[in-house]
Amino acid sequence: MRKFLFLLILICLRLSAQTYNVSGKVTDDNNAPLENATVSLIKQKDSSIINFTGTNKNGNFSFKVPTQNEPSFLQITGDKIKTYSKKFDVINKDEELGNIKLVKDLVTSIEEVQITVSPVKIKKDTVEYTASYLKVKPDAKIDELLKEIPGVETDEDGKITINGKPVNKILINGKPFFNKDGTIALQTFPADIIKKIQFTTSKTREEEFTGRTPKSDSMTVNFNIDEKNNKGNLSNLSLGYGSNKRYEGNLFMTRFQKDRNIALIAASNNINTTGFSVDSFFDNGGTRSKNSAVNGRAVNSGIMRTSIIGINYADKIGDNLDLEKLSLQYNDSNLETYSKTSRTTFLPDYKLDKNSERNGNSDTSKFNANTDANLKIDSLTNVTISANFANTSVDNVSDSNTFTLRDDENLNSSKSSVRGNSENNNFSPTIGLTRRFKNERRSLSASINNTFAQSVNRNYNLQETLFFQTPEDNDYRNQFSQTKNSRNTFGANFKYFEPISDSATVSMEMNFDHQNLSNERIVNDFDTNSNEYSNYNSLLSNTLNQNNDFLNTEINYNLNKEKLTFRAGANLNYSKLDLNSIYNQENIPLKKNFVLPEYSLMLQYKFTKSKSLRITNNANYTIPSAMELNPFIDISNPLITVQGNKDLKSTWQNSTNINYNSNDVARGINFFATMNFSYINNDIVDFSYFDESGKQFSTYANISGNKRANFNTSFSKSYKWNGNRLRIAPTFSTSYSYRKGFVDATQFTNDIYTLYPRLNVTLNWKDIMDVRSSFGINYSYSHYTNYSLDKTKIANQTVNIGTTNYFLKKDLFWENDFRYANNSNISAGFNRASYFWNSSLTYQFYKKQMMLKFKVYDLLNQRQNITRTIGDNYVEDKEELILRRYFMLTLIFKFNKIGGSKS
């Protein structure tokens, strides 16, 4: 506490230091005020940013700076305007610059554009951040840059959102690195070579080529390497060994020059990381509570050993062929698991308690080959080609033990031991063509795709299931099963866009998909006479063949104004399902046809360059799956008998989404709010009941009236002074779900309310320390009808504090990551509180090209992996095998040559 008070006092002293005001007004050549132009004061000697702001709607700007005894310059930048600069030898008084008139930038050649260092720029639907302004530790990878940007959040599963919108592409210089989701790029590329980070709405290749407004609501993040540094070599190697025989090794090498990039990655470790960052151990641990809201971070359960090697090549060949990527990757891993589960199922008149333990071990090897390329036939015609191949082999062993009780009375138990292996192959080629016309908004595109996939699964199963109330139903199995699956599909897409005015187009689209699917399961019982698995089991063996066709025709109206975007579309889906199954040596044919109308609406209005409102409403159908429709009886699990329902109807869902974004550069404020509502008709739900022995009989049924609403908002405010920065970001999430379903053949309802307020605080104290902290409370309340339980409540608290302290001119830095989570509703026998503390000390030397890191994982040896899941009629607590405390010493080599100089 004393250290905290001392820190506050020092901050206050810094705040009270002598500062001067720099202010003015920015207009265009017609004297109209310019909003959101970026105004920066930059040191001349090293181009570091002293302070920056943005102009408000009246074009005014104002910010404070400490006394400047060295030369600096003021820079004003904006979209389509020439950069303005003014030099100051010293600043020891207020500077009122008056009206500053900027003229339009008519330069069209990229070679003539001067690269600037504005911290933030807003260009149409693109927000661009200068990476040098974002404060990260010396050995940071590019994923650390994202954490410093307001509005960017990463959830417990590693999914990234920007102002509430999901990120589905992460690119390096506009191209994917191994995969578009960016998982490898985020953990390999060093942050210090990145010049700019750009956020924009995701576009398809066709939209990029034609320049049309994107239809997606997802986001793309592009990390740009400085043009002058966009050539060189990166070589990063880390080797570490620790207690309990823990080890890690990572290699990342890349050579790049403008459009050409070739990279080699390799890694091996037994510390539960699949990436390449030596700091990825900070992303493990925590306590989760599932009920539409989750606390803590994603947890890697089990003990995993993994090795990976891969190569990625990208190039522009000639003037016409752009090879976005050609990647080869091989993974080999072993995963050891153990879990203990306590599950309570609430029925109208009683409850069932199921306690189970499971341990397993699996060896997995994967090989992937992927390529994406664009071929420019001429200035109006573009061809895209992609192909993906994957081969996966798995050997697995698992043992489980389960007991079921009814009001503390034993009903049944089950022991099983499974040994098996599987092999899967998948090949998916796609080719597409886009043609523009002299009218630039008229276009035609077509594509075809195929999927050829096969898999074989072989399992030996030894199982004993006892029913204490009805011993005559006891089930003993010693079997060998083999499952063969094949999937052959063909798809074709056709689109045509026709302009009907200077800002409106009409589009027509047709999609066709044909599926040929086969699933065959053969089970043989063990014959004690022949000592072989030779007795064919007709009750457990089955075959399902599918021959399905899907046709979707769609028409859209698109309006694109400077501030207004509107889209309205209607489509008709036709589905033909032709199923033929063989169960107990009897053919069971089933044919179903569905004709389903759908529509979508989107309205987006930009109040200013930085404030926008987006509203969408759509209605769509989801047809039942083959397994849900197929009427044959599946008794592969002796405790659960499942049968499909051929009379199921398609599910209809109507969804509305409202999203508001505001990025006020002038005041350092970022704000967004999203609200969603959905209503479901003919929802497909489980219809089951239990007999006196605790055995479950399950099928599927339609039910209408399920609905869900949620609201999420986030506000962040940044304060800057003397090179320091404080960001405070409160967020709030709430949701309501109304669920109807069936439990023990009786209809129930469930109202679920959740509240999840959080507070995130980030402090960057120049050259001294960085602090990242978050505090959150998750509260959930459920109210039931037709249950033996009337209501449930869950309350969770989480505290996360991460610090980085710098010493010896930042050559020595000490990192700490502490997390606390508490769930008061965890069942007896499970620990309710979790303390998780990681710490590391790093020293960089030899011209900052080498680092020595000593780290401690789970310093308190208190890490837990506890999950609470609340379903429609059950509550489940689960604790799993996790990685425990270890110590590790790692040597890191960084031999980089960028832009002709060593880094």
Side-chain angles (χ1 to χ4, degrees):
M1 182 59 72
R2 291 181 179 178
K3 291 182 178 180
F4 184 70
L5 291 174
F6 178 67
L7 177 62
L8 288 178
I9 292 172
L10 286 177
I11 292 175
C12 292
L13 289 174
R14 290 288 186 101
L15 283 169
S16 63
Q18 181 65 52
T19 59
Y20 299 100
N21 194 56
V22 179
S23 59
K25 181 175 182 179
V26 180
T27 62
D28 62 16
D29 48 10
N30 294 322
N31 291 321
L34 288 176
E35 183 183 6
N36 264 337
T38 305
V39 185
S40 312
L41 186 67
I42 302 167
K43 287 186 178 180
Q44 182 172 298
K45 67 176 183 179
D46 58 7
S47 296
S48 62
I49 299 171
I50 301 169
N51 204 348
F52 81 97
T53 188
T55 55
N56 61 21
K57 64 181 180 180
N58 298 317
N60 296 319
F61 69 88
S62 176
F63 58 85
K64 294 184 179 297
V65 296
T67 302
Q68 298 297 311
N69 296 317
E70 297 178 348
S72 60
F73 62 95
L74 184 82
Q75 184 181 76
I76 304 176
T77 59
D79 189 19
K80 296 182 180 179
I81 58 174
K82 286 188 176 181
T83 300
Y84 169 88
S85 295
K86 178 178 176 61
K87 183 179 178 181
F88 297 95
D89 293 324
V90 296
I91 296 180
N92 52 19
K93 60 181 179 64
D94 291 341
E95 297 288 347
E96 170 56 53
L97 304 180
N99 187 69
I100 301 173
K101 183 179 294 187
L102 302 184
V103 297
K104 291 183 179 180
D105 190 351
L106 301 179
V107 176
T108 56
S109 173
I110 188 65
E111 296 179 356
E112 299 180 52
V113 177
Q114 181 181 2
I115 297 174
T116 62
V117 292
S118 301
V120 186
K121 287 183 180 180
I122 299 176
K123 304 177 180 179
K124 294 184 179 180
D125 64 341
T126 300
V127 180
E128 181 179 278
Y129 288 84
T130 299
S132 60
Y133 174 72
L134 305 171
K135 305 300 181 183
V136 294
K137 60 185 186 295
D139 63 336
K141 300 297 187 290
I142 59 177
D143 60 338
E144 295 291 328
L145 292 171
L146 290 180
K147 298 176 184 178
E148 296 299 311
I149 297 177
V152 178
E153 293 188 359
T154 303
D155 68 9
E156 72 286 344
D157 295 320
K159 295 180 180 178
I160 303 171
T161 58
I162 299 173
N163 292 333
K165 298 179 180 180
V167 173
N168 67 345
K169 290 183 185 179
I170 293 179
L171 309 175
I172 303 294
N173 277 0
K175 295 183 178 181
F177 185 75
F178 280 94
N179 45 17
K180 289 184 179 180
D181 64 11
T183 51
I184 295 178
L186 289 174
Q187 298 177 16
T188 53
F189 272 86
D192 54 9
I193 71 166
I194 301 300
K195 178 68 175 179
K196 302 171 185 176
I197 307 169
Q198 298 164 330
F199 298 159
T200 188
T201 304
S202 295
K203 292 184 177 182
T204 63
R205 291 173 179 170
E206 175 202 355
E207 289 168 341
E208 290 175 355
F209 184 68
T210 58
R212 285 200 306 273
T213 302
K215 191 175 181 180
S216 170
D217 196 31
S218 299
M219 301 294 292
T220 293
V221 180
N222 181 42
F223 292 91
N224 248 325
I225 300 173
D226 189 352
E227 281 295 320
K228 68 179 181 181
N229 287 337
N230 193 14
K231 62 178 181 179
N233 303 301
L234 301 179
S235 300
N236 288 258
L237 172 67
S238 66
L239 300 170
Y241 191 79
S243 59
N244 301 324
K245 297 183 179 180
R246 300 296 168 201
Y247 68 88
E248 67 172 349
N250 303 304
L251 173 66
F252 170 58
M253 300 175 64
T254 182
R255 178 178 178 83
F256 55 95
Q257 184 171 6
K258 294 186 177 180
D259 294 312
R260 179 175 298 171
N261 185 309
I262 183 168
L264 172 69
I265 58 172
S268 182
N269 68 77
N270 62 356
I271 56 173
N272 285 25
T273 62
T274 57
F276 308 92
S277 171
V278 296
D279 297 314
S280 55
F281 76 109
F282 280 101
D283 291 332
N284 297 325
T287 300
R288 291 197 294 173
S289 173
K290 290 184 180 179
N291 187 4
S292 303
V294 183
N295 284 330
R297 300 296 299 249
V299 177
N300 292 326
S301 60
I303 306 296
M304 183 172 63
R305 172 201 55 78
T306 184
S307 298
I308 179 174
I309 185 169
I311 186 170
N312 187 79
Y313 177 69
D315 199 357
K316 189 169 184 179
I317 304 171
D319 296 328
N320 298 329
L321 180 60
D322 186 4
L323 180 63
E324 288 194 347
K325 70 169 181 175
L326 173 61
S327 66
L328 304 173
Q329 186 175 330
Y330 177 77
N331 299 65
D332 180 78
S333 64
N334 171 267
L335 179 63
E336 178 188 357
T337 60
Y338 169 81
S339 64
K340 181 176 71 173
T341 304
S342 174
R343 178 169 179 154
T344 299
T345 301
F346 303 103
L347 304 175
D349 301 318
Y350 59 92
K351 66 182 178 70
L352 293 176
D353 293 304
K354 180 183 288 186
N355 299 311
S356 60
E357 289 186 81
R358 184 183 185 279
N359 62 74
N361 194 290
S362 64
D363 290 294
T364 303
S365 62
K366 298 179 182 179
F367 173 76
N368 293 279
N370 305 282
T371 185
D372 290 301
N374 293 318
L375 178 62
K376 188 176 180 181
I377 303 298
D378 54 45
S379 61
L380 299 176
T381 310
N382 189 60
V383 174
T384 60
I385 303 169
S386 68
N388 303 294
F389 172 77
N391 170 268
T392 304
S393 299
V394 180
D395 292 310
N396 64 281
V397 175
S398 66
D399 298 285
S400 64
N401 194 359
T402 301
F403 293 88
T404 304
L405 300 91
R406 171 178 173 175
D407 296 332
D408 300 325
E409 180 184 10
N410 283 328
L411 289 184
N412 58 62
S413 68
S414 180
K415 293 182 180 179
S416 70
S417 178
V418 178
R419 309 287 185 273
N421 62 76
S422 65
E423 183 173 356
N424 302 274
N425 292 284
N426 185 294
F427 176 59
S428 303
T430 301
I431 184 169
L433 180 143
T434 301
R435 171 73 179 180
R436 295 183 302 180
F437 297 90
K438 291 184 178 180
N439 186 324
E440 60 182 16
R441 292 186 299 115
R442 177 182 296 137
S443 68
L444 174 70
S445 64
S447 67
I448 57 173
N449 64 83
N450 288 93
T451 298
F452 307 96
Q454 287 186 335
S455 67
V456 179
N457 297 271
R458 306 175 186 88
N459 286 295
Y460 293 90
N461 179 32
L462 185 63
Q463 189 171 19
E464 176 187 82
T465 304
L466 304 178
F467 297 94
F468 299 112
Q469 309 302 317
T470 55
E472 64 275 9
D473 293 332
N474 290 349
D475 188 292
Y476 304 93
R477 301 184 182 184
N478 184 4
Q479 300 168 331
F480 171 72
S481 64
Q482 179 172 276
T483 302
K484 295 182 179 179
N485 295 292
S486 67
R487 177 183 178 87
N488 297 318
T489 68
F490 170 81
N493 171 269
F494 172 85
K495 293 180 184 177
Y496 178 73
F497 285 79
E498 176 65 30
I500 57 176
S501 72
D502 59 351
S503 58
T505 60
V506 172
S507 65
M508 292 168 284
E509 182 175 354
M510 181 178 295
N511 290 283
F512 172 76
D513 288 288
H514 173 74
Q515 297 179 348
N516 193 326
L517 313 177
S518 175
N519 181 293
E520 181 185 35
R521 185 171 188 260
I522 299 175
V523 179
N524 288 313
D525 294 319
F526 185 75
D527 187 340
T528 55
N529 295 323
S530 64
N531 205 33
E532 294 180 350
Y533 293 92
S534 56
N535 292 336
Y536 180 75
N537 190 318
S538 61
L539 292 176
L540 294 180
S541 301
N542 55 73
T543 300
L544 174 61
N545 295 314
Q546 302 182 54
N547 199 351
N548 306 325
D549 291 307
F550 306 93
L551 178 65
N552 177 67
T553 56
E554 181 177 349
I555 185 168
N556 287 280
Y557 171 79
N558 308 276
L559 177 67
N560 294 295
K561 296 285 189 178
E562 183 178 355
K563 291 190 173 184
L564 176 68
T565 301
F566 174 74
R567 182 182 301 114
N571 60 291
L572 188 68
N573 275 324
Y574 171 74
S575 302
K576 184 182 78 171
L577 305 183
D578 186 356
L579 314 179
N580 185 62
S581 58
I582 301 175
Y583 168 71
N584 199 17
Q585 300 180 344
E586 177 185 356
N587 287 334
I588 306 175
L590 177 65
K591 294 185 178 182
K592 282 279 194 178
N593 294 331
F594 300 90
V595 180
L596 307 170
E598 302 175 338
Y599 75 85
S600 63
L601 298 169
M602 189 278 288
L603 174 68
Q604 179 171 297
Y605 185 78
K606 295 182 179 180
F607 301 96
T608 65
K609 289 172 60 177
S610 60
K611 295 180 177 65
S612 65
L613 176 69
R614 181 184 176 101
I615 303 174
T616 62
N617 176 260
N618 59 77
N620 56 69
Y621 283 91
T622 303
I623 66 173
S625 68
M627 295 305 296
E628 292 168 337
L629 288 169
N630 203 341
F632 84 78
I633 302 172
D634 183 358
I635 59 172
S636 57
N637 186 337
L639 292 176
I640 304 176
T641 298
V642 180
Q643 183 178 14
N645 180 0
K646 62 183 179 62
D647 296 321
L648 287 175
K649 299 177 181 178
S650 296
T651 299
W652 180 81
Q653 178 170 317
N654 188 281
S655 302
T656 300
N657 175 273
I658 302 174
N659 181 281
Y660 175 78
N661 289 308
S662 174
N663 188 0
D664 192 333
V665 178
R667 295 189 293 168
I669 293 176
N670 188 81
F671 173 79
F672 77 85
T674 62
M675 183 166 57
N676 300 274
F677 176 78
S678 61
Y679 175 86
I680 303 176
N681 194 43
N682 287 325
D683 198 4
I684 298 176
V685 298
D686 177 72
F687 183 94
S688 63
Y689 63 92
F690 295 81
D691 65 12
E692 292 299 319
S693 64
K695 186 174 181 179
Q696 183 179 358
F697 297 85
S698 180
T699 184
Y700 306 94
N702 289 117
I703 199 166
S704 298
N706 288 336
K707 48 185 174 283
R708 174 179 173 80
N710 61 72
F711 175 75
N712 301 291
T713 185
S714 176
F715 172 89
S716 67
K717 169 69 174 175
S718 297
Y719 301 89
K720 306 179 294 292
W721 73 98
N722 296 357
N724 306 311
R725 184 174 57 168
L726 174 68
R727 187 171 82 233
I728 300 175
T731 64
F732 178 75
S733 302
T734 184
S735 67
Y736 167 73
S737 296
Y738 178 76
R739 293 283 302 165
K740 296 169 67 178
F742 297 95
V743 55
D744 208 20
T746 302
Q747 184 174 316
F748 74 92
T749 63
N750 184 9
D751 294 273
I752 305 174
Y753 305 85
T754 64
L755 295 172
Y756 188 19
R758 305 185 305 280
L759 175 65
N760 301 301
V761 179
T762 302
L763 170 66
N764 302 118
W765 192 356
K766 185 179 180 181
D767 299 331
I768 296 178
M769 71 182 305
D770 297 327
V771 180
R772 298 187 186 94
S773 59
S774 66
F775 313 89
I777 299 176
N778 181 296
Y779 177 79
S780 177
Y781 171 82
S782 298
H783 178 262
Y784 304 89
T785 61
N786 291 335
Y787 266 41
S788 59
L789 186 70
D790 178 53
K791 59 186 177 181
T792 62
K793 296 180 180 179
I794 293 180
N796 305 305
Q797 303 86 38
T798 58
V799 177
N800 300 323
I801 300 175
T803 63
T804 304
N805 298 78
Y806 299 99
F807 310 94
L808 303 178
K809 297 182 179 180
K810 301 184 74 172
D811 285 337
L812 179 68
F813 51 99
W814 178 31
E815 296 175 79
N816 288 279
D817 183 50
F818 176 79
R819 295 166 189 169
Y820 166 78
N822 182 276
N823 186 339
S824 60
N825 298 85
I826 294 294
S827 300
F830 294 89
N831 293 323
R832 296 178 176 180
S834 172
Y835 303 88
F836 188 43
W837 184 8
N838 296 324
S839 185
S840 71
L841 188 66
T842 303
Y843 177 66
Q844 58 180 353
F845 57 99
Y846 191 64
K847 300 179 181 179
K848 299 185 179 182
Q849 294 181 6
M850 299 181 69
M851 293 184 181
L852 188 64
K853 177 188 287 283
F854 177 75
K855 63 184 179 184
V856 185
Y857 176 88
D858 191 13
L859 182 62
L860 302 177
N861 204 26
Q862 294 287 314
R863 181 186 173 221
Q864 298 175 29
N865 185 7
I866 304 170
T867 304
R868 163 154 285 205
T869 304
I870 295 182
D872 288 330
N873 68 325
Y874 69 89
V875 175
E876 180 179 276
D877 294 322
K878 187 175 184 180
E879 187 169 12
E880 299 174 281
L881 173 69
I882 55 173
L883 191 64
R884 291 294 187 184
R885 179 174 60 190
Y886 67 85
F887 304 84
M888 182 171 288
L889 186 66
T890 303
L891 184 60
I892 306 165
F893 303 85
K894 295 172 57 179
F895 298 107
N896 302 331
K897 186 176 182 181
I898 304 173
S901 61
K902 291 185 177 180
S903 173

